[in-house]
Amino acid sequence: QVKLVESGGGLVQPGGSLRLSCTADRSTYSIYAMGWYRQAPGKQRELVATVNITGTATYGDFVKGRFTIIRDNAKSSVYLQMNGLEVADTAVYFCNGDDTIYGLPPYWGQGIEVTVSS
């Protein structure tokens, strides 16, 4: 099991930027993929971005070049730089570690709120 702790959320105006951070309580070198999901009120949890062990990143269709995911295994961390935030980006953002390829359950952070509002 891996404990993931998120930070960096908060309130931002439309068009603004936020940087989310997620730090694991152990080395992340061997975790197959790390990333971010989000869940808005009344909606299903959806993929925001992941980056796998080879450095290949995948983004949700709604990202449209606004977000960048950065994985830093030396710091056991993954970051999400979000620019051009929109009201529709308001959600709870969850850090995720994915070792399901090895038959292990996914790892989840507790979630952090991002509110985009004027």
Side-chain angles (χ1 to χ4, degrees), residues 33-70:
M34 294 195 70
W36 295 89
Y37 287 70
R38 72 183 189 183
Q39 188 166 16
K43 294 188 176 181
Q44 289 190 331
R45 191 172 297 190
E46 62 180 349
L47 169 71
V48 179
T50 64
V51 54
N52 69 18
I53 205 166
T54 68
T56 301
T58 302
Y59 293 91
D61 291 341
F62 61 87
V63 171
K64 298 179 181 177
R66 299 179 297 132
F67 301 172
T68 302
I69 188 168
I70 301 165

Side-chain angles (χ1 to χ4, degrees), residues 66-111:
R66 299 179 297 132
F67 301 172
T68 302
I69 188 168
I70 301 165
R71 179 170 177 169
D72 188 345
N73 290 322
K75 295 182 179 180
S76 300
S77 296
V78 62
Y79 308 96
L80 184 68
Q81 177 65 44
M82 302 187 291
N83 300 324
L85 283 162
E86 303 169 354
V87 172
D89 294 316
T90 295
V92 177
Y93 285 68
F94 296 89
C95 182
N96 167 265
D98 184 359
D99 270 338
T100 56
I101 194 173
Y102 307 125
L104 297 172
Y107 319 120
W108 292 101
Q110 79 283 0

